[in-house]
PDB file of all heavy atoms in Angstrom:
ATOM      1  N   VAL A 153      16.402  31.756   1.648  1.00 96.00           N
ATOM      2  CA  VAL A 153      15.067  32.369   1.582  1.00 96.00           C
ATOM      3  C   VAL A 153      14.069  31.499   2.351  1.00 96.00           C
ATOM      4  O   VAL A 153      13.243  32.007   3.123  1.00 96.00           O
ATOM      5  CB  VAL A 153      14.612  32.532   0.120  1.00 96.00           C
ATOM      6  CG1 VAL A 153      13.140  32.945   0.055  1.00 96.00           C
ATOM      7  CG2 VAL A 153      15.466  33.561  -0.594  1.00 96.00           C
ATOM      8  N   SER A 156      14.496  31.806   6.108  1.00 95.00           N
ATOM      9  CA  SER A 156      13.919  33.074   6.578  1.00 95.00           C
ATOM     10  C   SER A 156      12.402  33.007   6.596  1.00 95.00           C
ATOM     11  O   SER A 156      11.755  33.541   7.508  1.00 95.00           O
ATOM     12  CB  SER A 156      14.386  34.226   5.685  1.00 95.00           C
ATOM     13  OG  SER A 156      15.780  34.397   5.786  1.00 95.00           O
ATOM     14  N   ARG A 157      11.817  32.344   5.595  1.00 93.00           N
ATOM     15  CA  ARG A 157      10.355  32.223   5.547  1.00 93.00           C
ATOM     16  C   ARG A 157       9.848  31.448   6.759  1.00 93.00           C
ATOM     17  O   ARG A 157       8.876  31.838   7.400  1.00 93.00           O
ATOM     18  CB  ARG A 157       9.931  31.533   4.256  1.00 93.00           C
ATOM     19  CG  ARG A 157       8.413  31.350   4.140  1.00 93.00           C
ATOM     20  CD  ARG A 157       8.038  30.529   2.923  1.00 93.00           C
ATOM     21  NE  ARG A 157       8.066  31.318   1.697  1.00 93.00           N
ATOM     22  CZ  ARG A 157       8.945  31.156   0.726  1.00 93.00           C
ATOM     23  NH1 ARG A 157       9.899  30.231   0.834  1.00 93.00           N
ATOM     24  NH2 ARG A 157       8.890  31.912  -0.352  1.00 93.00           N
ATOM     25  N   ASN A 161      11.054  35.775   9.037  1.00 95.00           N
ATOM     26  CA  ASN A 161      11.940  36.942   8.932  1.00 95.00           C
ATOM     27  C   ASN A 161      11.789  37.488   7.513  1.00 95.00           C
ATOM     28  O   ASN A 161      12.618  37.243   6.626  1.00 95.00           O
ATOM     29  CB  ASN A 161      13.391  36.538   9.217  1.00 95.00           C
ATOM     30  CG  ASN A 161      14.318  37.749   9.272  1.00 95.00           C
ATOM     31  OD1 ASN A 161      13.947  38.856   8.883  1.00 95.00           O
ATOM     32  ND2 ASN A 161      15.528  37.532   9.748  1.00 95.00           N
ATOM     33  N   PHE A 162      10.715  38.247   7.298  1.00 95.00           N
ATOM     34  CA  PHE A 162      10.350  38.648   5.949  1.00 95.00           C
ATOM     35  C   PHE A 162      11.287  39.703   5.365  1.00 95.00           C
ATOM     36  O   PHE A 162      11.498  39.754   4.158  1.00 95.00           O
ATOM     37  CB  PHE A 162       8.899  39.131   5.940  1.00 95.00           C
ATOM     38  CG  PHE A 162       7.932  38.068   6.389  1.00 95.00           C
ATOM     39  CD1 PHE A 162       7.206  38.227   7.562  1.00 95.00           C
ATOM     40  CD2 PHE A 162       7.771  36.911   5.653  1.00 95.00           C
ATOM     41  CE1 PHE A 162       6.321  37.241   7.978  1.00 95.00           C
ATOM     42  CE2 PHE A 162       6.889  35.919   6.064  1.00 95.00           C
ATOM     43  CZ  PHE A 162       6.162  36.091   7.241  1.00 95.00           C
ATOM     44  N   VAL A 163      11.854  40.539   6.217  1.00 95.00           N
ATOM     45  CA  VAL A 163      12.814  41.531   5.732  1.00 95.00           C
ATOM     46  C   VAL A 163      14.025  40.826   5.123  1.00 95.00           C
ATOM     47  O   VAL A 163      14.505  41.185   4.037  1.00 95.00           O
ATOM     48  CB  VAL A 163      13.253  42.477   6.872  1.00 95.00           C
ATOM     49  CG1 VAL A 163      14.357  43.416   6.392  1.00 95.00           C
ATOM     50  CG2 VAL A 163      12.056  43.286   7.384  1.00 95.00           C
ATOM     51  N   ALA A 164      14.511  39.789   5.802  1.00 96.00           N
ATOM     52  CA  ALA A 164      15.641  39.022   5.278  1.00 96.00           C
ATOM     53  C   ALA A 164      15.254  38.339   3.971  1.00 96.00           C
ATOM     54  O   ALA A 164      16.062  38.270   3.027  1.00 96.00           O
ATOM     55  CB  ALA A 164      16.095  37.987   6.304  1.00 96.00           C
ATOM     56  N   MET A 165      14.015  37.847   3.887  1.00 95.00           N
ATOM     57  CA  MET A 165      13.539  37.215   2.652  1.00 95.00           C
ATOM     58  C   MET A 165      13.654  38.149   1.466  1.00 95.00           C
ATOM     59  O   MET A 165      14.116  37.765   0.390  1.00 95.00           O
ATOM     60  CB  MET A 165      12.062  36.810   2.800  1.00 95.00           C
ATOM     61  CG  MET A 165      11.817  35.413   3.293  1.00 95.00           C
ATOM     62  SD  MET A 165      10.038  35.111   3.471  1.00 95.00           S
ATOM     63  CE  MET A 165       9.504  35.157   1.762  1.00 95.00           C
ATOM     64  N   GLU A 166      13.233  39.396   1.669  1.00 95.00           N
ATOM     65  CA  GLU A 166      13.275  40.378   0.573  1.00 95.00           C
ATOM     66  C   GLU A 166      14.697  40.615   0.107  1.00 95.00           C
ATOM     67  O   GLU A 166      14.978  40.636  -1.102  1.00 95.00           O
ATOM     68  CB  GLU A 166      12.640  41.694   1.030  1.00 95.00           C
ATOM     69  CG  GLU A 166      11.139  41.614   1.225  1.00 95.00           C
ATOM     70  CD  GLU A 166      10.581  42.889   1.831  1.00 95.00           C
ATOM     71  OE1 GLU A 166      11.036  43.981   1.449  1.00 95.00           O
ATOM     72  OE2 GLU A 166       9.700  42.785   2.708  1.00 95.00           O
ATOM     73  N   LYS A 167      15.616  40.788   1.064  1.00 96.00           N
ATOM     74  CA  LYS A 167      17.007  41.042   0.695  1.00 96.00           C
ATOM     75  C   LYS A 167      17.606  39.839  -0.043  1.00 96.00           C
ATOM     76  O   LYS A 167      18.308  39.992  -1.049  1.00 96.00           O
ATOM     77  CB  LYS A 167      17.835  41.361   1.937  1.00 96.00           C
ATOM     78  CG  LYS A 167      19.294  41.703   1.623  1.00 96.00           C
ATOM     79  CD  LYS A 167      20.088  41.995   2.863  1.00 96.00           C
ATOM     80  CE  LYS A 167      21.506  42.446   2.500  1.00 96.00           C
ATOM     81  NZ  LYS A 167      22.197  41.494   1.599  1.00 96.00           N
ATOM     82  N   GLN A 168      17.329  38.644   0.475  1.00 97.00           N
ATOM     83  CA  GLN A 168      17.873  37.443  -0.151  1.00 97.00           C
ATOM     84  C   GLN A 168      17.317  37.245  -1.553  1.00 97.00           C
ATOM     85  O   GLN A 168      18.054  36.877  -2.476  1.00 97.00           O
ATOM     86  CB  GLN A 168      17.564  36.229   0.731  1.00 97.00           C
ATOM     87  CG  GLN A 168      18.365  36.214   2.025  1.00 97.00           C
ATOM     88  CD  GLN A 168      17.683  35.419   3.137  1.00 97.00           C
ATOM     89  OE1 GLN A 168      16.556  34.948   2.990  1.00 97.00           O
ATOM     90  NE2 GLN A 168      18.371  35.285   4.267  1.00 97.00           N
ATOM     91  N   ALA A 169      16.013  37.510  -1.729  1.00 97.00           N
ATOM     92  CA  ALA A 169      15.409  37.377  -3.059  1.00 97.00           C
ATOM     93  C   ALA A 169      16.005  38.390  -4.029  1.00 97.00           C
ATOM     94  O   ALA A 169      16.259  38.078  -5.199  1.00 97.00           O
ATOM     95  CB  ALA A 169      13.899  37.553  -2.962  1.00 97.00           C
ATOM     96  N   THR A 170      16.243  39.616  -3.546  1.00 96.00           N
ATOM     97  CA  THR A 170      16.855  40.651  -4.384  1.00 96.00           C
ATOM     98  C   THR A 170      18.267  40.243  -4.804  1.00 96.00           C
ATOM     99  O   THR A 170      18.665  40.412  -5.966  1.00 96.00           O
ATOM    100  CB  THR A 170      16.891  41.996  -3.632  1.00 96.00           C
ATOM    101  OG1 THR A 170      15.563  42.371  -3.266  1.00 96.00           O
ATOM    102  CG2 THR A 170      17.507  43.089  -4.500  1.00 96.00           C
ATOM    103  N   ILE A 186       8.343  36.380  -4.429  1.00 95.00           N
ATOM    104  CA  ILE A 186       8.762  36.238  -3.024  1.00 95.00           C
ATOM    105  C   ILE A 186       8.754  37.592  -2.321  1.00 95.00           C
ATOM    106  O   ILE A 186       8.292  37.719  -1.181  1.00 95.00           O
ATOM    107  CB  ILE A 186      10.158  35.597  -2.952  1.00 95.00           C
ATOM    108  CG1 ILE A 186      10.082  34.128  -3.360  1.00 95.00           C
ATOM    109  CG2 ILE A 186      10.751  35.731  -1.540  1.00 95.00           C
ATOM    110  CD1 ILE A 186      11.431  33.477  -3.589  1.00 95.00           C
ATOM    111  N   ILE A 187       9.242  38.627  -3.001  1.00 97.00           N
ATOM    112  CA  ILE A 187       9.268  39.972  -2.404  1.00 97.00           C
ATOM    113  C   ILE A 187       7.843  40.452  -2.131  1.00 97.00           C
ATOM    114  O   ILE A 187       7.547  41.020  -1.069  1.00 97.00           O
ATOM    115  CB  ILE A 187      10.023  40.954  -3.324  1.00 97.00           C
ATOM    116  CG1 ILE A 187      11.506  40.566  -3.387  1.00 97.00           C
ATOM    117  CG2 ILE A 187       9.863  42.392  -2.819  1.00 97.00           C
ATOM    118  CD1 ILE A 187      12.290  41.273  -4.477  1.00 97.00           C
ATOM    119  N   GLU A 189       5.217  38.543  -1.602  1.00 94.00           N
ATOM    120  CA  GLU A 189       4.749  37.723  -0.472  1.00 94.00           C
ATOM    121  C   GLU A 189       5.247  38.291   0.851  1.00 94.00           C
ATOM    122  O   GLU A 189       4.500  38.369   1.836  1.00 94.00           O
ATOM    123  CB  GLU A 189       5.273  36.291  -0.644  1.00 94.00           C
ATOM    124  CG  GLU A 189       5.030  35.371   0.525  1.00 94.00           C
ATOM    125  CD  GLU A 189       5.895  34.112   0.479  1.00 94.00           C
ATOM    126  OE1 GLU A 189       6.406  33.753  -0.602  1.00 94.00           O
ATOM    127  OE2 GLU A 189       6.067  33.478   1.537  1.00 94.00           O
ATOM    128  N   SER A 190       6.502  38.708   0.873  1.00 96.00           N
ATOM    129  CA  SER A 190       7.095  39.251   2.095  1.00 96.00           C
ATOM    130  C   SER A 190       6.429  40.561   2.507  1.00 96.00           C
ATOM    131  O   SER A 190       6.074  40.758   3.667  1.00 96.00           O
ATOM    132  CB  SER A 190       8.595  39.467   1.884  1.00 96.00           C
ATOM    133  OG  SER A 190       9.142  40.162   2.973  1.00 96.00           O
TER     134      SER A 190
END
Side-chain angles (χ1 to χ4, degrees):
V153 170
S156 296
R157 179 186 281 111
N161 186 348
F162 300 115
V163 174
M165 268 178 67
E166 290 173 40
K167 183 181 185 307
Q168 289 155 355
T170 302
I186 289 168
I187 293 168
E189 172 196 340
S190 172

